Amino acid sequence: MLAEAGTTSTDTAAGGSTSTSTDAPDESATFASLGLAEPLCEACASMGFKKPSAIQREAIPWALGGRDIIGLAETGSGKTAAFGLPILHSLLAKPQPLCALVVAPTRELAFQIGEQFEALGSVIGVKCAVAVGGVDMVQQAILLAKRPHVLVGTPGRLVDHLQNTKGFSIRALRFLVLDEADKLLNMDFEKELDIILQAAPREGRSTFLFSATMTSKVEKLQRASLTNPVKVEVSSKYQTVKTLVQQYLFIPAKHKDCYLAYVCNELAGHTTIIFCATCASCQRIALLLRALGFPAVPLHGQLSQPKRLAALNKFKAGERSILIATDVASRGIDIPSVDLVLNYELPQNSKDYIHRVGRTARAGRAGRAVTLVTQYDVELYQRIEHMLGTQLEQFSAPQEEAMLLMERVLEAQRHAAMELRGKDEKRREKGGRRGRGGDEGGDADADPELQRMMKQKMQGRRGGGGGGGGGKKQRR
């Protein structure tokens, strides 16, 4: 257990205090010694959790004591169980419908948190519901009417239900969790979070704010939503786990696809996530790698929700060994068997690099991250190295060996371009609206901004006036 004497308190703008843990974690601690009920300790053992991680050792005793928590730790360190286990412990002592609400930035992360709650809470019969965009609201309203113990959702859809679903209220909440809080705020969910905070009770509520990175916006949210919180910071600076090998490959931009194929070929058999910057790039690389014979599947924000889940499930089940994704998959997605993260395009924000490479080397396993750097990426790459405080080693890729693949790659590029053109023509034939058919990843191969401009242009031709921006904003 953590001792009160091992913390320091500093005044905050909210007028309260923030306690920052300074104790060295007791690595001999067990889930039972942290104060968790025996059924939950058994559930942890059945899921292969041998002992608490650093963030769990630090956060769980405070949470069981009823304190608000700001939890900061590197990605892949077990933050979900750090807030999930105290909630389940409270439910075991005092069962209550809609006891806890967990707010997550992406649909995939929301589904994953829901799965973890169901797995850990199966021994005590916990019911969990997930409310995200892209799924029929009526079906979700039926699930909410059954009064689950735990609700996990994305901000937009939660606000939809608060405003439109009769009988749905979060006034009786005992726990509110804001997971990946920096991402929630970077995605402009401030208004939705304000509505959720206003709908939740102010008294008798424990609030947990968890993230891998801390920003000024998160500090502002902390002052607005937490009361006298304990700041549990396992990592004081942005860093990756020790079991991760990080490498870079400096290449000419015109041969980028060729080197991508070389790396995939050299590391064939590895379960791989390839990160791209845009949905269009993600779709093109998926088609390119398929044409080269690699079992690849895309995951990006322009896919319909069923296709996003199908892509993720195929990757998790091992039916596809390569997942090509935008940053929609970089937060919190826990697929233990990922061996390699390949950054095809560098993120604009250096902190997003931490989240991307955190998809591998999780829970003490080994992993590798390889970043492709062209002459146009040098500044972004130097920012990442400066943030990490270390220089990455170079991935060995002899030019003459990589160039042997040039002919096959050019043919695959032509094939991918033809397939993208064909899908684009089909969409135009249907009036420019997004296609929902086709194979995995058949949705909206173009960039979102391009889609919006095309829609405005077509409405102008029809004399519809006013462009395509007047529709209701889609909730995440």
Short mmCIF file of all heavy atoms in Angstrom, two decimals, residues 289-349:
data_model
loop_
_atom_site.label_atom_id
_atom_site.label_comp_id
_atom_site.label_asym_id
_atom_site.label_seq_id
_atom_site.Cartn_x
_atom_site.Cartn_y
_atom_site.Cartn_z
N LEU A 289 0.06 -3.74 -51.13
CA LEU A 289 0.62 -4.92 -50.47
C LEU A 289 -0.15 -6.19 -50.85
O LEU A 289 0.45 -7.26 -50.98
CB LEU A 289 0.63 -4.73 -48.95
CG LEU A 289 1.63 -3.69 -48.43
CD1 LEU A 289 1.54 -3.57 -46.92
CD2 LEU A 289 3.06 -4.04 -48.83
N ARG A 290 -1.46 -6.06 -51.01
CA ARG A 290 -2.23 -7.23 -51.47
C ARG A 290 -1.76 -7.68 -52.85
O ARG A 290 -1.65 -8.87 -53.11
CB ARG A 290 -3.72 -6.89 -51.52
CG ARG A 290 -4.41 -6.87 -50.18
CD ARG A 290 -5.88 -6.61 -50.41
NE ARG A 290 -6.55 -6.21 -49.19
CZ ARG A 290 -7.73 -5.64 -49.15
NH1 ARG A 290 -8.37 -5.39 -50.27
NH2 ARG A 290 -8.29 -5.32 -48.01
N ALA A 291 -1.51 -6.70 -53.73
CA ALA A 291 -1.04 -7.03 -55.09
C ALA A 291 0.33 -7.71 -55.05
O ALA A 291 0.67 -8.48 -55.94
CB ALA A 291 -0.98 -5.76 -55.94
N LEU A 292 1.10 -7.42 -53.98
CA LEU A 292 2.42 -8.05 -53.83
C LEU A 292 2.34 -9.40 -53.09
O LEU A 292 3.35 -10.03 -52.85
CB LEU A 292 3.36 -7.11 -53.07
CG LEU A 292 3.85 -5.88 -53.85
CD1 LEU A 292 4.52 -4.89 -52.91
CD2 LEU A 292 4.81 -6.29 -54.97
N GLY A 293 1.12 -9.77 -52.71
CA GLY A 293 0.92 -11.07 -52.08
C GLY A 293 0.95 -11.07 -50.56
O GLY A 293 0.94 -12.13 -49.94
N PHE A 294 0.97 -9.88 -49.95
CA PHE A 294 0.95 -9.80 -48.48
C PHE A 294 -0.50 -9.79 -47.98
O PHE A 294 -1.34 -9.10 -48.56
CB PHE A 294 1.67 -8.55 -47.98
CG PHE A 294 3.15 -8.54 -48.26
CD1 PHE A 294 3.67 -7.77 -49.30
CD2 PHE A 294 4.02 -9.31 -47.50
CE1 PHE A 294 5.03 -7.76 -49.57
CE2 PHE A 294 5.38 -9.30 -47.75
CZ PHE A 294 5.89 -8.53 -48.80
N PRO A 295 -0.80 -10.53 -46.91
CA PRO A 295 -2.18 -10.57 -46.38
C PRO A 295 -2.49 -9.33 -45.55
O PRO A 295 -2.36 -9.32 -44.33
CB PRO A 295 -2.18 -11.84 -45.51
CG PRO A 295 -0.76 -12.00 -45.07
CD PRO A 295 0.11 -11.42 -46.15
N ALA A 296 -2.87 -8.23 -46.24
CA ALA A 296 -3.06 -6.94 -45.57
C ALA A 296 -4.53 -6.55 -45.53
O ALA A 296 -5.30 -6.89 -46.43
CB ALA A 296 -2.26 -5.87 -46.31
N VAL A 297 -4.90 -5.81 -44.47
CA VAL A 297 -6.26 -5.31 -44.33
C VAL A 297 -6.19 -3.88 -43.79
O VAL A 297 -5.38 -3.59 -42.92
CB VAL A 297 -7.09 -6.23 -43.39
CG1 VAL A 297 -6.51 -6.29 -42.01
CG2 VAL A 297 -8.55 -5.81 -43.34
N PRO A 298 -7.01 -2.94 -44.36
CA PRO A 298 -6.95 -1.55 -43.90
C PRO A 298 -7.91 -1.25 -42.76
O PRO A 298 -8.95 -1.89 -42.61
CB PRO A 298 -7.37 -0.76 -45.15
CG PRO A 298 -8.31 -1.68 -45.86
CD PRO A 298 -7.88 -3.09 -45.55
N LEU A 299 -7.54 -0.25 -41.95
CA LEU A 299 -8.40 0.23 -40.85
C LEU A 299 -8.25 1.75 -40.78
O LEU A 299 -7.18 2.25 -40.45
CB LEU A 299 -7.99 -0.40 -39.52
CG LEU A 299 -8.72 0.12 -38.27
CD1 LEU A 299 -10.17 -0.30 -38.28
CD2 LEU A 299 -8.05 -0.39 -37.01
N HIS A 300 -9.33 2.46 -41.12
CA HIS A 300 -9.28 3.92 -41.06
C HIS A 300 -10.67 4.49 -40.80
O HIS A 300 -11.68 3.77 -40.82
CB HIS A 300 -8.67 4.51 -42.33
CG HIS A 300 -9.32 4.08 -43.61
ND1 HIS A 300 -10.55 4.56 -44.03
CD2 HIS A 300 -8.93 3.20 -44.56
CE1 HIS A 300 -10.86 4.01 -45.19
NE2 HIS A 300 -9.90 3.17 -45.53
N GLY A 301 -10.73 5.78 -40.56
CA GLY A 301 -11.95 6.43 -40.10
C GLY A 301 -13.05 6.53 -41.13
O GLY A 301 -14.19 6.85 -40.78
N GLN A 302 -12.76 6.29 -42.41
CA GLN A 302 -13.79 6.40 -43.43
C GLN A 302 -14.47 5.07 -43.72
O GLN A 302 -15.39 5.00 -44.53
CB GLN A 302 -13.20 6.98 -44.72
CG GLN A 302 -12.83 8.45 -44.56
CD GLN A 302 -12.29 9.05 -45.84
OE1 GLN A 302 -12.11 8.36 -46.83
NE2 GLN A 302 -12.01 10.34 -45.81
N LEU A 303 -14.05 4.02 -43.05
CA LEU A 303 -14.75 2.74 -43.17
C LEU A 303 -16.01 2.78 -42.33
O LEU A 303 -16.06 3.43 -41.29
CB LEU A 303 -13.86 1.59 -42.68
CG LEU A 303 -12.63 1.23 -43.51
CD1 LEU A 303 -11.82 0.17 -42.79
CD2 LEU A 303 -13.03 0.72 -44.87
N SER A 304 -17.04 2.06 -42.75
CA SER A 304 -18.23 1.93 -41.92
C SER A 304 -17.84 1.15 -40.66
O SER A 304 -16.88 0.39 -40.66
CB SER A 304 -19.33 1.19 -42.68
OG SER A 304 -18.92 -0.14 -42.99
N GLN A 305 -18.61 1.34 -39.58
CA GLN A 305 -18.26 0.70 -38.32
C GLN A 305 -18.17 -0.82 -38.42
O GLN A 305 -17.23 -1.42 -37.89
CB GLN A 305 -19.24 1.12 -37.22
CG GLN A 305 -18.88 0.62 -35.83
CD GLN A 305 -17.51 1.08 -35.38
OE1 GLN A 305 -17.06 2.17 -35.76
NE2 GLN A 305 -16.83 0.27 -34.59
N PRO A 306 -19.12 -1.51 -39.10
CA PRO A 306 -18.98 -2.97 -39.23
C PRO A 306 -17.68 -3.39 -39.91
O PRO A 306 -17.06 -4.39 -39.54
CB PRO A 306 -20.20 -3.37 -40.08
CG PRO A 306 -21.20 -2.31 -39.82
CD PRO A 306 -20.41 -1.04 -39.65
N LYS A 307 -17.24 -2.61 -40.91
CA LYS A 307 -16.00 -2.95 -41.62
C LYS A 307 -14.77 -2.67 -40.76
O LYS A 307 -13.77 -3.39 -40.83
CB LYS A 307 -15.91 -2.20 -42.94
CG LYS A 307 -16.85 -2.79 -43.99
CD LYS A 307 -16.71 -2.08 -45.30
CE LYS A 307 -17.64 -2.75 -46.33
NZ LYS A 307 -17.62 -2.05 -47.61
N ARG A 308 -14.84 -1.62 -39.93
CA ARG A 308 -13.72 -1.35 -39.03
C ARG A 308 -13.55 -2.51 -38.04
O ARG A 308 -12.44 -2.98 -37.80
CB ARG A 308 -13.98 -0.04 -38.27
CG ARG A 308 -13.68 1.19 -39.09
CD ARG A 308 -14.30 2.46 -38.52
NE ARG A 308 -13.61 2.96 -37.34
CZ ARG A 308 -13.76 4.20 -36.89
NH1 ARG A 308 -14.55 5.05 -37.50
NH2 ARG A 308 -13.12 4.59 -35.80
N LEU A 309 -14.67 -2.96 -37.50
CA LEU A 309 -14.62 -4.08 -36.54
C LEU A 309 -14.17 -5.36 -37.22
O LEU A 309 -13.41 -6.15 -36.67
CB LEU A 309 -15.99 -4.28 -35.89
CG LEU A 309 -16.38 -3.24 -34.83
CD1 LEU A 309 -17.80 -3.48 -34.37
CD2 LEU A 309 -15.43 -3.27 -33.65
N ALA A 310 -14.67 -5.59 -38.45
CA ALA A 310 -14.30 -6.80 -39.20
C ALA A 310 -12.80 -6.82 -39.48
O ALA A 310 -12.14 -7.86 -39.33
CB ALA A 310 -15.09 -6.88 -40.50
N ALA A 311 -12.24 -5.67 -39.87
CA ALA A 311 -10.81 -5.58 -40.16
C ALA A 311 -10.00 -5.89 -38.90
O ALA A 311 -9.03 -6.67 -38.92
CB ALA A 311 -10.45 -4.19 -40.68
N LEU A 312 -10.41 -5.29 -37.79
CA LEU A 312 -9.70 -5.49 -36.52
C LEU A 312 -9.78 -6.94 -36.07
O LEU A 312 -8.80 -7.53 -35.61
CB LEU A 312 -10.29 -4.55 -35.46
CG LEU A 312 -9.41 -4.18 -34.27
CD1 LEU A 312 -8.07 -3.62 -34.72
CD2 LEU A 312 -10.13 -3.20 -33.37
N ASN A 313 -10.96 -7.54 -36.23
CA ASN A 313 -11.15 -8.93 -35.80
C ASN A 313 -10.34 -9.91 -36.65
O ASN A 313 -9.81 -10.90 -36.15
CB ASN A 313 -12.63 -9.30 -35.82
CG ASN A 313 -13.40 -8.62 -34.70
OD1 ASN A 313 -12.83 -8.26 -33.67
ND2 ASN A 313 -14.69 -8.41 -34.89
N LYS A 314 -10.26 -9.64 -37.97
CA LYS A 314 -9.44 -10.50 -38.84
C LYS A 314 -7.97 -10.45 -38.43
O LYS A 314 -7.27 -11.45 -38.44
CB LYS A 314 -9.59 -10.06 -40.30
CG LYS A 314 -10.90 -10.52 -40.94
CD LYS A 314 -10.95 -10.12 -42.40
CE LYS A 314 -12.25 -10.63 -43.02
NZ LYS A 314 -12.35 -10.27 -44.43
N PHE A 315 -7.53 -9.24 -38.07
CA PHE A 315 -6.13 -9.09 -37.65
C PHE A 315 -5.89 -9.77 -36.31
O PHE A 315 -4.91 -10.49 -36.13
CB PHE A 315 -5.79 -7.59 -37.57
CG PHE A 315 -4.36 -7.31 -37.24
CD1 PHE A 315 -3.34 -7.66 -38.11
CD2 PHE A 315 -4.02 -6.66 -36.06
CE1 PHE A 315 -2.01 -7.39 -37.81
CE2 PHE A 315 -2.70 -6.39 -35.74
CZ PHE A 315 -1.69 -6.76 -36.63
N LYS A 316 -6.81 -9.57 -35.37
CA LYS A 316 -6.68 -10.20 -34.05
C LYS A 316 -6.69 -11.72 -34.14
O LYS A 316 -5.98 -12.41 -33.41
CB LYS A 316 -7.82 -9.74 -33.13
CG LYS A 316 -7.63 -8.36 -32.53
CD LYS A 316 -8.78 -8.05 -31.58
CE LYS A 316 -8.57 -6.73 -30.87
NZ LYS A 316 -9.69 -6.41 -29.94
N ALA A 317 -7.53 -12.25 -35.05
CA ALA A 317 -7.67 -13.70 -35.18
C ALA A 317 -6.54 -14.34 -35.97
O ALA A 317 -6.46 -15.56 -36.06
CB ALA A 317 -9.02 -14.02 -35.84
N GLY A 318 -5.68 -13.51 -36.57
CA GLY A 318 -4.56 -14.05 -37.34
C GLY A 318 -4.90 -14.37 -38.78
O GLY A 318 -4.07 -14.93 -39.51
N GLU A 319 -6.11 -14.01 -39.23
CA GLU A 319 -6.47 -14.25 -40.63
C GLU A 319 -5.69 -13.33 -41.56
O GLU A 319 -5.48 -13.63 -42.72
CB GLU A 319 -7.97 -14.03 -40.84
CG GLU A 319 -8.85 -15.05 -40.11
CD GLU A 319 -10.32 -14.73 -40.25
OE1 GLU A 319 -10.71 -14.17 -41.31
OE2 GLU A 319 -11.09 -15.01 -39.32
N ARG A 320 -5.32 -12.14 -41.06
CA ARG A 320 -4.45 -11.21 -41.79
C ARG A 320 -3.30 -10.86 -40.86
O ARG A 320 -3.50 -10.53 -39.71
CB ARG A 320 -5.21 -9.93 -42.16
CG ARG A 320 -6.42 -10.13 -43.06
CD ARG A 320 -6.00 -10.41 -44.49
NE ARG A 320 -7.16 -10.43 -45.37
CZ ARG A 320 -7.95 -11.48 -45.56
NH1 ARG A 320 -7.70 -12.61 -44.90
NH2 ARG A 320 -8.97 -11.43 -46.40
N SER A 321 -2.08 -10.89 -41.40
CA SER A 321 -0.92 -10.63 -40.53
C SER A 321 -0.45 -9.18 -40.61
O SER A 321 0.41 -8.76 -39.84
CB SER A 321 0.24 -11.55 -40.92
OG SER A 321 0.64 -11.31 -42.25
N ILE A 322 -1.03 -8.39 -41.54
CA ILE A 322 -0.65 -6.98 -41.67
C ILE A 322 -1.89 -6.11 -41.60
O ILE A 322 -2.85 -6.31 -42.35
CB ILE A 322 0.11 -6.72 -43.00
CG1 ILE A 322 1.39 -7.55 -43.07
CG2 ILE A 322 0.43 -5.24 -43.14
CD1 ILE A 322 2.16 -7.41 -44.38
N LEU A 323 -1.87 -5.14 -40.68
CA LEU A 323 -2.95 -4.16 -40.55
C LEU A 323 -2.38 -2.81 -40.96
O LEU A 323 -1.41 -2.34 -40.38
CB LEU A 323 -3.44 -4.11 -39.11
CG LEU A 323 -4.59 -3.15 -38.80
CD1 LEU A 323 -5.91 -3.66 -39.37
CD2 LEU A 323 -4.73 -2.92 -37.30
N ILE A 324 -2.99 -2.18 -41.99
CA ILE A 324 -2.57 -0.84 -42.40
C ILE A 324 -3.57 0.13 -41.80
O ILE A 324 -4.77 0.03 -42.06
CB ILE A 324 -2.51 -0.68 -43.93
CG1 ILE A 324 -1.47 -1.64 -44.52
CG2 ILE A 324 -2.10 0.73 -44.31
CD1 ILE A 324 -2.02 -2.87 -45.08
N ALA A 325 -3.08 1.07 -40.99
CA ALA A 325 -4.00 1.89 -40.20
C ALA A 325 -3.58 3.35 -40.16
O ALA A 325 -2.40 3.68 -40.31
CB ALA A 325 -4.07 1.35 -38.77
N THR A 326 -4.57 4.20 -39.98
CA THR A 326 -4.31 5.59 -39.63
C THR A 326 -4.20 5.66 -38.11
O THR A 326 -4.29 4.63 -37.44
CB THR A 326 -5.45 6.50 -40.13
OG1 THR A 326 -6.68 5.99 -39.61
CG2 THR A 326 -5.51 6.53 -41.65
N ASP A 327 -4.08 6.84 -37.55
CA ASP A 327 -3.90 6.97 -36.10
C ASP A 327 -5.14 6.58 -35.31
O ASP A 327 -5.12 6.60 -34.08
CB ASP A 327 -3.46 8.38 -35.73
CG ASP A 327 -1.99 8.61 -36.06
OD1 ASP A 327 -1.18 7.75 -35.68
OD2 ASP A 327 -1.65 9.61 -36.71
N VAL A 328 -6.23 6.20 -36.02
CA VAL A 328 -7.42 5.69 -35.34
C VAL A 328 -7.08 4.45 -34.51
O VAL A 328 -7.72 4.15 -33.51
CB VAL A 328 -8.54 5.39 -36.37
CG1 VAL A 328 -8.29 4.10 -37.12
CG2 VAL A 328 -9.91 5.32 -35.70
N ALA A 329 -6.03 3.73 -34.92
CA ALA A 329 -5.64 2.50 -34.21
C ALA A 329 -4.46 2.70 -33.27
O ALA A 329 -4.00 1.76 -32.65
CB ALA A 329 -5.29 1.41 -35.23
N SER A 330 -3.98 3.95 -33.16
CA SER A 330 -2.74 4.15 -32.39
C SER A 330 -2.99 4.31 -30.90
O SER A 330 -2.05 4.32 -30.12
CB SER A 330 -1.98 5.37 -32.91
OG SER A 330 -2.63 6.57 -32.55
N ARG A 331 -4.25 4.47 -30.48
CA ARG A 331 -4.54 4.72 -29.07
C ARG A 331 -5.20 3.52 -28.41
O ARG A 331 -6.30 3.14 -28.76
CB ARG A 331 -5.47 5.92 -28.94
CG ARG A 331 -4.83 7.25 -29.32
CD ARG A 331 -3.78 7.63 -28.30
NE ARG A 331 -3.21 8.92 -28.61
CZ ARG A 331 -3.20 9.94 -27.78
NH1 ARG A 331 -3.72 9.83 -26.59
NH2 ARG A 331 -2.64 11.07 -28.12
N GLY A 332 -4.50 2.93 -27.47
CA GLY A 332 -5.12 1.96 -26.58
C GLY A 332 -5.43 0.60 -27.14
O GLY A 332 -5.75 -0.31 -26.40
N ILE A 333 -5.37 0.42 -28.48
CA ILE A 333 -5.73 -0.88 -29.04
C ILE A 333 -4.72 -1.92 -28.57
O ILE A 333 -3.53 -1.80 -28.80
CB ILE A 333 -5.76 -0.82 -30.59
CG1 ILE A 333 -6.80 0.22 -31.05
CG2 ILE A 333 -6.08 -2.17 -31.18
CD1 ILE A 333 -8.20 -0.07 -30.61
N ASP A 334 -5.22 -2.93 -27.91
CA ASP A 334 -4.34 -3.93 -27.28
C ASP A 334 -4.44 -5.26 -28.01
O ASP A 334 -5.38 -6.01 -27.84
CB ASP A 334 -4.75 -4.11 -25.80
CG ASP A 334 -3.78 -5.02 -25.06
OD1 ASP A 334 -2.68 -5.26 -25.60
OD2 ASP A 334 -4.13 -5.49 -23.97
N ILE A 335 -3.47 -5.50 -28.90
CA ILE A 335 -3.38 -6.77 -29.60
C ILE A 335 -2.03 -7.36 -29.20
O ILE A 335 -0.99 -6.97 -29.73
CB ILE A 335 -3.48 -6.58 -31.14
CG1 ILE A 335 -4.77 -5.82 -31.48
CG2 ILE A 335 -3.44 -7.92 -31.86
CD1 ILE A 335 -4.83 -5.31 -32.88
N PRO A 336 -2.02 -8.26 -28.21
CA PRO A 336 -0.76 -8.68 -27.59
C PRO A 336 0.28 -9.23 -28.56
O PRO A 336 1.46 -9.13 -28.32
CB PRO A 336 -1.21 -9.78 -26.60
CG PRO A 336 -2.65 -9.50 -26.35
CD PRO A 336 -3.19 -8.92 -27.61
N SER A 337 -0.18 -9.82 -29.67
CA SER A 337 0.76 -10.54 -30.54
C SER A 337 1.44 -9.67 -31.59
O SER A 337 2.10 -10.18 -32.48
CB SER A 337 0.01 -11.68 -31.26
OG SER A 337 -1.07 -11.15 -32.01
N VAL A 338 1.29 -8.34 -31.55
CA VAL A 338 1.92 -7.49 -32.56
C VAL A 338 3.44 -7.49 -32.37
O VAL A 338 3.94 -7.13 -31.31
CB VAL A 338 1.37 -6.05 -32.50
CG1 VAL A 338 2.12 -5.14 -33.48
CG2 VAL A 338 -0.11 -6.03 -32.81
N ASP A 339 4.15 -7.92 -33.41
CA ASP A 339 5.62 -8.02 -33.34
C ASP A 339 6.31 -6.76 -33.86
O ASP A 339 7.41 -6.43 -33.45
CB ASP A 339 6.12 -9.21 -34.17
CG ASP A 339 5.45 -10.51 -33.77
OD1 ASP A 339 5.43 -10.81 -32.56
OD2 ASP A 339 4.94 -11.22 -34.66
N LEU A 340 5.65 -6.09 -34.83
CA LEU A 340 6.32 -5.00 -35.54
C LEU A 340 5.35 -3.85 -35.80
O LEU A 340 4.21 -4.06 -36.21
CB LEU A 340 6.85 -5.53 -36.89
CG LEU A 340 7.38 -4.52 -37.91
CD1 LEU A 340 8.69 -3.89 -37.41
CD2 LEU A 340 7.60 -5.18 -39.27
N VAL A 341 5.82 -2.63 -35.55
CA VAL A 341 5.11 -1.42 -35.98
C VAL A 341 5.99 -0.74 -37.01
O VAL A 341 7.18 -0.50 -36.78
CB VAL A 341 4.84 -0.47 -34.79
CG1 VAL A 341 4.43 0.91 -35.29
CG2 VAL A 341 3.75 -1.03 -33.89
N LEU A 342 5.39 -0.44 -38.17
CA LEU A 342 6.14 0.18 -39.26
C LEU A 342 5.50 1.54 -39.57
O LEU A 342 4.32 1.59 -39.95
CB LEU A 342 6.11 -0.73 -40.49
CG LEU A 342 7.28 -0.63 -41.46
CD1 LEU A 342 7.33 -1.86 -42.35
CD2 LEU A 342 7.17 0.61 -42.34
N ASN A 343 6.24 2.61 -39.36
CA ASN A 343 5.73 3.95 -39.67
C ASN A 343 6.04 4.27 -41.12
O ASN A 343 7.15 4.69 -41.46
CB ASN A 343 6.38 4.99 -38.75
CG ASN A 343 5.87 4.89 -37.33
OD1 ASN A 343 4.68 4.96 -37.08
ND2 ASN A 343 6.80 4.71 -36.39
N TYR A 344 5.03 4.08 -42.00
CA TYR A 344 5.21 4.40 -43.43
C TYR A 344 5.29 5.92 -43.59
O TYR A 344 6.07 6.43 -44.38
CB TYR A 344 4.05 3.83 -44.24
CG TYR A 344 4.11 4.15 -45.71
CD1 TYR A 344 4.97 3.46 -46.56
CD2 TYR A 344 3.31 5.15 -46.26
CE1 TYR A 344 5.04 3.75 -47.91
CE2 TYR A 344 3.36 5.45 -47.61
CZ TYR A 344 4.23 4.76 -48.43
OH TYR A 344 4.28 5.06 -49.77
N GLU A 345 4.44 6.63 -42.83
CA GLU A 345 4.48 8.09 -42.81
C GLU A 345 4.58 8.55 -41.36
O GLU A 345 3.91 8.00 -40.49
CB GLU A 345 3.22 8.67 -43.46
CG GLU A 345 3.20 8.44 -44.97
CD GLU A 345 1.82 8.61 -45.57
OE1 GLU A 345 0.80 8.29 -44.93
OE2 GLU A 345 1.76 9.06 -46.73
N LEU A 346 5.40 9.55 -41.10
CA LEU A 346 5.61 10.02 -39.74
C LEU A 346 4.41 10.85 -39.27
O LEU A 346 3.82 11.57 -40.07
CB LEU A 346 6.87 10.87 -39.64
CG LEU A 346 8.17 10.11 -39.34
CD1 LEU A 346 8.61 9.31 -40.54
CD2 LEU A 346 9.26 11.08 -38.93
N PRO A 347 4.07 10.76 -37.99
CA PRO A 347 2.99 11.60 -37.47
C PRO A 347 3.46 13.06 -37.35
O PRO A 347 4.63 13.32 -37.10
CB PRO A 347 2.71 11.00 -36.09
CG PRO A 347 4.00 10.37 -35.68
CD PRO A 347 4.66 9.90 -36.95
N GLN A 348 2.52 14.01 -37.53
CA GLN A 348 2.86 15.43 -37.40
C GLN A 348 3.18 15.77 -35.94
O GLN A 348 4.02 16.62 -35.68
CB GLN A 348 1.70 16.30 -37.90
CG GLN A 348 1.45 16.21 -39.40
CD GLN A 348 2.64 16.69 -40.22
OE1 GLN A 348 3.19 17.75 -39.96
NE2 GLN A 348 3.05 15.90 -41.20
N ASN A 349 2.50 15.10 -35.03
CA ASN A 349 2.72 15.34 -33.60
C ASN A 349 3.65 14.25 -33.06
O ASN A 349 3.35 13.06 -33.16
CB ASN A 349 1.38 15.32 -32.86
CG ASN A 349 1.52 15.72 -31.41
OD1 ASN A 349 2.58 15.60 -30.81
ND2 ASN A 349 0.43 16.20 -30.82
#
